[in-house]
Structure formats: C-alpha cells, structure tokens
C-alpha cells in the first residue's frame, strides 16, 4: 500500500492517541470526517494499524516484577527455535519475545507477580530443551523511558 503524507499523519496521531474521535482526527489531518474514516479503514484492512491496546499502569494496580531475559540455545536448529518459541508464546507472563542476532538468540520481557513466579517460568523455559537452554535474567529496577510508539517521522525520513 502506498502511503501519502495524510496517511502517515493519521498513523502518527493514532499511534499516540488511539481513542481520538474521528472528528478530532479529521480536523488534525485536514480531512472531512468521512474521508478520514475511509482512510483509517483502509489502513486497518492493510493491517498497518491495530489491534488497539490500552496501556495499563501496573504499579498502580499491584506489585509485579519485570525481567528482561536473554536466551541462548545450544541447538541452533530450526526445530529447537520453533519448540522454544512455542513454549514462550504459551506463557502469558512472557509479554515479548524476539529472535535476535548477536551473542544470544532470543530477547524476552517477562512480567510476573513476584520472583517466585518468575523462577517457575524460568524453570519451565529451561525444561523445554533440557541442557540446551541458557537464560540470563535482568530484573528491571526502573524504566526512565517506556515504549510510547515508533518514531514514524524519523523512520519515513530515513526511508526516502
């Protein structure tokens, strides 16, 4: 799908304010409400936006521990990666999992109610491929910058 400046503006606005009304969005990007809604629907159909998520403030709800874990697999086969990824996807507390290049194979973010539960998750992941998995855990102490969306304008500038 070819994106023009208006489509890019729509994406930028929705990324930061997913609950904005169509009227407000149309005003911000300089379109009529019906044209704006049509463009948003096309962007959704092309799977360029969505699903829409609400960001939950965990600290205000209850205590939790966030762990960034790096994973190395001794067996570098496609089957070993598939098996480990399926196991990670099945654990709700594994909120992110990335296959990466470099000195380890996967990068995961795990949010658990406490260290006892994190330890159980760690053991569960180690047992996926016994003796073949090395997990290095890093407990998040403070997050000075949360994810708040992609730098779309900077990425578009670099793309052109």
């Amino acid at each position: 799908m070819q994106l023009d400046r208006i489509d890019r503006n729509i994406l930028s606005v929705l990324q930061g304010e997913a609950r904005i009304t169509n009227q407000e969005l149309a005003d911000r990007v300089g379109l009529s409400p019906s044209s704006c809604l049509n463009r948003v629907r096309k962007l959704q159909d092309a799977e360029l936006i969505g699903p829409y998520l609400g960001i939950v403030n965990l600290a205000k709800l209850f205590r939790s521990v966030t762990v960034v874990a790096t994973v190395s697999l001794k067996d570098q086969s496609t089957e070993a990666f598939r098996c480990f990824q399926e196991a990670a996807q099945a654990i709700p507390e594994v909120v992110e999992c990335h296959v990466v290049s470099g000195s380890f194979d996967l990068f995961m973010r795990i949010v658990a109610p406490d260290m006892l539960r994190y330890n159980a998750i760690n053991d569960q992941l180690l047992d996926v491929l016994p003796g073949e998995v090395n997990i290095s855990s890093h407990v998040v102490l403070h997050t000075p910058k949360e994810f708040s969306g992609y730098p779309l304008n900077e990425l578009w500038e670099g793309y052109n």
Side-chain angles (χ1 to χ4, degrees):
M1 179 176 179
Q2 201 66 318
L3 299 180
D4 63 14
R5 180 186 51 78
I6 293 173
D7 291 326
R8 294 191 307 261
N9 287 341
I10 289 171
L11 290 173
S12 291
V13 171
L14 286 177
Q15 179 177 235
E17 303 173 61
R19 291 181 48 126
I20 191 171
T21 67
N22 184 58
Q23 179 66 56
E24 290 174 297
L25 180 59
D27 291 344
R28 296 258 299 269
V29 299
L31 289 176
S32 70
S34 61
S35 293
C36 185
L37 186 57
N38 285 335
R39 284 185 182 242
V40 169
R41 286 185 176 146
K42 285 179 184 176
L43 293 168
Q44 290 170 330
D45 290 345
E47 297 180 347
L48 293 175
I49 52 175
Y52 297 96
L53 304 172
I55 297 172
V56 176
N57 186 337
L58 288 180
K60 290 195 176 213
L61 287 173
F62 37 69
R63 288 185 183 187
S64 64
V65 61
T66 298
V67 177
V68 174
T70 57
V71 180
S72 297
L73 302 179
K74 289 181 184 170
D75 180 351
Q76 294 288 296
S77 70
T78 303
E79 179 62 21
F81 273 80
R82 185 197 57 73
C83 185
F84 189 87
Q85 289 170 67
E86 285 177 2
Q89 287 174 345
I91 300 170
E93 294 91 343
V94 176
V95 297
E96 273 184 276
C97 182
H98 305 273
V99 176
V100 298
S101 63
S103 59
F104 50 88
D105 300 312
L106 296 105
F107 172 91
M108 297 188 308
R109 186 164 58 100
I110 301 161
V111 180
D114 53 39
M115 286 306 293
L116 185 65
R117 175 63 185 139
Y118 172 73
N119 194 47
I121 293 166
N122 191 67
D123 289 347
Q124 185 178 350
L125 290 169
L126 289 171
D127 288 344
V128 171
L129 299 164
E132 299 288 320
V133 179
N134 180 20
I135 300 175
S136 181
S137 302
H138 311 275
V139 176
V140 174
L141 302 176
H142 177 65
T143 305
K145 183 176 182 179
E146 290 277 356
F147 178 76
S148 61
Y150 298 105
L152 295 178
N153 290 331
E154 290 78 1
L155 291 170
W156 276 310
E157 287 173 12
Y159 182 73
N160 293 321

